Amino acid sequence: MENYKRICENVENARAKYRSSDENIDIMAVTKTVAPEKINFAIEQGITLLGENRVQEYLSKKDSYIKTAQVHMIGRLQTNKVKYIINEVAMIQSVDSIKLAKEINRLAEKNNRTMNVLLEINIGDEASKSGVAADELDELIYETAQLENVRIKGLMAIPPAGCGEDMFDRMHSIFLRVKERSVPNVSMDILSMGMSGDYELAIKHGSNLIRIGTALFGARNYLEG
Ligand SMILES: *Cc1c(COP(=O)(O)O)cnc(C)c1O
């Protein structure tokens, strides 16, 4: 797959330019509307991380996936759908309310596991986007950190397309600020930020998990999806 090779090269170049050599940057393949054969081909090329947006779509496709890749939920997640994925994903990146965190905790406990989560910030303050407002993050961290079967592993954001660098920089500052505080039960290991159009910029500003759809698989066809 040419696309994957090119992305790896770009990531490596951005890492060499902006980051230290011991920092790892993970490339997630975002699978929405993509056929399982294409996803499996990406896994054969070296992809180890898949990002799912839609519960229903994922459940209908997952049995066709090669099992070696880890799957994260990255899309808006309704509380009443957590039960379908609690044992089907390794991480939920789109936690943006205490209500959702509590339901994840309840079902994780019931299923004898802990769930790794990222807290999603609506960094662009866009009405159409999910994510907690930046000034409500501390409260969400504090409340979520009390939940025994949930582990906060970092932050996720979708900076608005073409928003410019300060928003990426702001997100990085928030991430570092939380990290410095060392809240119990909270480890700021992952900053999930950057998509097809802006992943190099995201890497420049501290991202260590980029989520790539179209640059890897081509334009999405929503009619098929
Ligand atoms: C679709 C999507 C992506 C990937 O977007 P591309 O621009 O196609 O790379 C990344 N993150 C989330 C949350 C998405 O919904």
Side-chain angles (χ1 to χ4, degrees), residues 29-67:
V30 176
T31 64
K32 59 184 180 256
T33 78
V34 178
E37 306 83 74
K38 280 175 108 176
I39 295 165
N40 285 341
F41 186 63
I43 294 170
E44 284 165 357
Q45 302 302 300
I47 284 285
T48 58
L49 201 51
L50 303 177
E52 300 288 334
N53 283 77
R54 301 165 184 159
V55 170
Q56 233 45 57
E57 179 181 339
Y58 172 47
L59 294 178
S60 73
K61 280 157 58 173
K62 72 177 179 62
D63 290 340
S64 319
Y65 293 176
I66 297 172
K67 297 288 177 277

Side-chain angles (χ1 to χ4, degrees), residues 30 32 53 74-75 156 158 194-197 211-215 220:
V30 176
K32 59 184 180 256
N53 283 77
I74 61 170
M156 189 269 250
I158 311 173
M195 318 202 298
S196 294
R211 309 178 310 266
I212 308 293
T214 49
R220 282 183 283 277

Side-chain angles (χ1 to χ4, degrees), residues 61-128:
K61 280 157 58 173
K62 72 177 179 62
D63 290 340
S64 319
Y65 293 176
I66 297 172
K67 297 288 177 277
T68 52
Q70 205 184 74
V71 178
H72 293 185
M73 180 54 54
I74 61 170
R76 192 192 291 260
L77 181 59
Q78 290 171 273
T79 311
N80 63 2
K81 296 213 170 137
V82 175
K83 58 178 176 286
Y84 300 118
I85 57 153
I86 193 73
N87 284 321
E88 307 293 342
V89 299
M91 187 181 287
I92 299 173
Q93 295 201 1
S94 41
V95 174
D96 63 355
S97 71
I98 187 61
K99 182 174 171 231
L100 178 58
K102 279 182 173 163
E103 177 66 357
I104 294 168
N105 185 62
R106 186 183 74 81
L107 289 166
E109 186 182 4
K110 197 171 156 188
N111 285 276
N112 251 325
R113 61 168 296 176
T114 54
M115 179 61 84
N116 293 327
V117 304
L118 304 184
L119 301 182
E120 181 182 354
I121 301 186
N122 186 355
I123 191 69
D125 243 335
E126 298 170 285
S128 62

